[in-house]
Each structure stands twice: as structure tokens, then as C-alpha cells.
Amino acid sequence: MKNRVRYKRNWTRRVIAVCMLAFLAVFPLAGGSDKAFAAGDVATQTDASKEVSDGPVTTGLVIDGYYGEWSQYPSADITYNSNNGYSVHKGQLAIENGRLYVHFSMNDLYTSQMQFQLWNITVNGKTSVLNILPVNADGSINWGGQIYNLGEGIHRNFGVFAGYYNDVAGDVAFTVYDAAHTETGKGDEIEFSISLDKLAAYLGINIDQGATITVSNPNIGAQGVTITGTPTGPWAGAAMAMALATGGVFAIRRKKKTSR
């Protein structure tokens, strides 16, 4: 009887230990199956201390002109073959809740405002232009709105349009840290998101979970940033790992019982 009680206690400890190991192994990866990388290059994780701007850090992606939450996503280098590591821009992509999120930041040595009005997007080999343009309060394009020589601060009065100005429910935040764009100031940053359903409708394709999406800005660098797949919830991934681990322990236990 004592041996049986001791066996049950040891078995319970094994279950807890295996579940915790599985949780720790899966949790860092469970944020998504997405990978951001420049075409032909391996992505490098950003240094969070360099990328985080002042402002609230949210648990999910929010287009607000504060970029702290992007520190948990991989980034790709964007450049026109510069050998100076300080002259490299950064690009990131993510997918959440049916929306594609884009974040690009200029290097601090860049002495001009980021040209953010023209982007290219490719989904499973089908390419379109994305235009970021000033909008009115009702979301219509403000053809007389300012897009150059913007002052310091966060600018939100922009929309995103595919091709010949098809609205894709864009949300934009463009941040200017140093209006003079001196070499001692911080480079501009932008983040925006678009509806994948609206983009798919415009392109006439189905964007499924295995889609490969590349976004590039020809005014910033030759490379595009690519994401493949869509993210999964961290708790769902962790729960799956724990279930697999527990199932494995049960299988081991049944095997031991059979052999006894």
C-alpha cells in the first residue's frame, strides 16, 4: 500500500514537471508562426532598448505611435547595400485579428523625413501598391492634406488605399521625433495596419493561414519584409503543449501498468 501511495506521488510530480517544461518550451514561440525577414536574409531580433519609444506598452499591437510592443517581434534590416550598421533601417510585420500590421523605423543618421506614402505589398505572388494618404474626418482622401515637412509629434490623419485608391480600412501612426532630422536626432517611425479581408477582396484572392506576405518601401531600401502564416494565441499553444505532455505521461503509466 505504501509503495502504491509513493508511486502515485512520484507520478503526479512527473506530470507537473513535464507540463511545466512543455509550457516553458512553447510559450516563447506561441505568439505566432509568423517570421519577419528581408528577402534572402535571416531576420535579427531588435534591441528592445533601442526600439522602444516613450509611451504605453500594450499587450497586443495597437496603432498609436508608440512602438514598445514591437520589441517582441523579429525585425529585418532595410538598406540600399550600406556597409554602415548605423545606416540600416528596420522593418517588421505581424498579423493579429484579421489585420496585417507594419512597422518601419528609420536609422538615426537619416537626415530627411521618411517617404511613407508609397508601399508595395505582395500576397502569394500577387502584387499591389499601397498608398498612405491624408484623409478627412469621414475617411475620404484629403488631396490637399500635408504629407511632407511634418512637425514633431504623432500624426494620425492618414489612411491606406490599395491600387487606385481602394480603401483597405487602414489605421496609421507616423512619428516625427526631430523635425530638423539632424544626425543627432532620432529617425522617423511609422506603424500601420490594414484589413486582410479588404485586401483579399481587392486582389481577388483568398488569404489563408499559410499566406506569404511581403511589404516593401522602394524609397527606404531594396529589401522587403516577409511574413508567412498567422499567429496563434499563446495560451492555446501552451495548453496544447501541456495536453501533449500529460498524454505522454499517461501513456507511460499505462505501459508500466501493462508490464507489471
Side-chain angles (χ1 to χ4, degrees):
M1 182 67 181
K2 290 183 179 179
N3 290 336
R4 181 173 298 179
V5 171
R6 188 180 298 110
Y7 172 79
K8 287 184 178 180
R9 289 176 178 173
N10 290 337
W11 175 81
T12 302
R13 290 168 183 165
R14 290 192 195 102
V15 171
I16 294 173
V18 173
C19 289
M20 289 301 297
L21 287 173
F23 178 84
L24 293 173
V26 172
F27 187 77
L29 303 176
S33 58
D34 53 300
K35 299 179 181 178
F37 51 88
D41 295 335
V42 177
T44 56
Q45 186 65 33
T46 58
D47 181 350
S49 64
K50 294 180 181 178
E51 296 298 319
V52 174
S53 305
D54 293 336
V57 177
T58 60
T59 56
L61 289 172
V62 178
I63 303 300
D64 56 7
Y66 300 106
Y67 306 96
E69 62 266 32
W70 284 101
S71 63
Q72 62 187 306
Y73 295 88
S75 70
D77 293 343
I78 308 296
T79 180
Y80 274 115
N81 301 318
S82 173
N83 294 322
N84 185 347
Y86 293 101
S87 297
V88 174
H89 315 301
K90 296 290 185 179
Q92 296 171 282
L93 299 181
I95 296 174
E96 284 189 6
N97 300 320
R99 297 184 68 83
L100 173 68
Y101 288 80
V102 181
H103 171 231
F104 274 59
S105 59
M106 306 299 289
N107 69 72
D108 295 345
L109 298 181
Y110 194 74
T111 55
S112 299
Q113 179 184 297
M114 176 196 290
Q115 296 187 49
F116 60 86
Q117 65 272 25
L118 179 64
W119 303 77
N120 294 320
I121 185 167
T122 302
V123 182
N124 291 341
K126 192 160 187 176
T127 300
S128 174
V129 171
L130 291 180
N131 303 281
I132 294 183
L133 298 169
V135 293
N136 299 303
D138 62 358
S140 62
I141 297 174
N142 178 7
W143 294 106
Q146 186 176 3
I147 199 168
Y148 302 107
N149 302 316
L150 297 173
E152 294 179 9
I154 300 171
H155 302 269
R156 300 295 316 277
N157 58 321
F158 296 101
V160 186
F161 303 88
Y164 287 102
Y165 315 117
N166 295 272
D167 190 358
V168 287
D171 191 9
V172 182
F174 176 63
T175 305
V176 177
Y177 299 99
D178 177 10
H181 294 95
T182 61
E183 292 186 359
T184 57
K186 181 174 173 57
D188 300 338
E189 284 188 77
I190 190 171
E191 61 179 356
F192 65 90
S193 69
I194 62 174
S195 164
L196 287 176
D197 286 342
K198 288 186 175 294
L199 178 64
Y202 168 72
L203 294 176
I205 62 175
N206 179 36
I207 302 179
D208 57 23
Q209 292 187 352
T212 297
I213 303 173
T214 300
V215 175
S216 63
N217 183 322
N219 294 307
I220 295 177
Q223 297 88 352
V225 183
T226 297
I227 186 170
T228 300
T230 58
T232 55
W235 294 113
M240 183 182 298
M242 293 181 71
L244 290 172
T246 306
V249 173
F250 282 136
I252 292 173
R253 186 188 181 196
R254 284 198 300 269
K255 185 176 181 180
K256 285 185 176 180
K257 279 188 172 183
T258 302
S259 62
R260 290 173 62 184

